[in-house]
Amino acid sequence: MNHLHLSSFATERDLRLAIIEAGRICYSSGLMHANTGNISVRLGNDRVVITPSKLCKGRMDADDLLIIDMEGAIIKSDSVRKRKFSSEGPMHLEIYHQLPDVRAVIHAHPINATALSVAGIPFPDDVLQEVMEELGPVPTTGFSMPDPQSAAEAIRAHVKNHNAIIIRNHGAITYGHDLEHALNYLELLESVAKTVVTAQTLGGVSRIPAEIMSVLRETYSKKHS
Ligand SMILES: [Zn+2]
């Protein structure tokens, strides 16, 4: 069974399994490394199931996950494992507070998308059609202090009207109606970034002509207005 399409009103157990499944995909496809990244889904309207800090997302099981309230207080965790709320959790809550329709969030450190921000290159929306057809424009935040509230503040102004944000010299965060959408956006983001980085090593990046871009942008804004 693919759990990634499940809504927030599925059972807690199934939503836990959805996160485990997403974690294994992110880790095995190289989108997450070591203990990095975090994944969450809304549970009903006022709780969130989220991965804990300092744990490889490819090697978790359902009892490793935490249930938190919308302020980040832990409501439920395994009493033996004593998992902790990640310092990156407030970024997830920032998105849930701003966008009631968002039911799933993934934060990762995908190498190529992150490399663009390390190189000071904005994520281009005019290199591959799929950006304006599916992913939408992707903003890059400024630098932030390494504390939970600063990370949430760094993405604050960019959350609305986007599906993905690159966090400067850090990673990316993607979100959608369910984990399937959030994961798709993360995969698209990284595949476009990888194509850009590869093209750069082959001699340069060519852009989609302006007249085609204006059609793509118009179609995108009609679809999302
Ligand atoms: Zn991170």
Side-chain angles (χ1 to χ4, degrees), residues 5-25:
H5 286 296
L6 291 175
S7 84
S8 312
F9 300 98
T11 66
E12 179 188 319
R13 183 78 191 164
D14 280 345
L15 291 175
R16 284 175 182 262
L17 293 175
I19 290 180
I20 299 304
E21 194 172 332
R24 287 192 184 136
I25 293 169

Side-chain angles (χ1 to χ4, degrees), residues 88 107 109 170:
E88 297 181 321
H107 164 59
H109 302 169
H170 176 168

Side-chain angles (χ1 to χ4, degrees), residues 4 6 10 18 49-50 57 67 86 100 103 117 131 138 152 169 186 191 208 210 213 217-218:
L4 303 182
L6 291 175
V49 192
I50 190 165
K57 308 311 175 292
I67 310 288
S86 165
R103 319 299 291 186
S117 80
V131 175
V138 180
N169 288 50
L186 180 60
S191 73
I208 297 171
M213 278 314 299
R217 289 197 176 107
E218 202 182 313

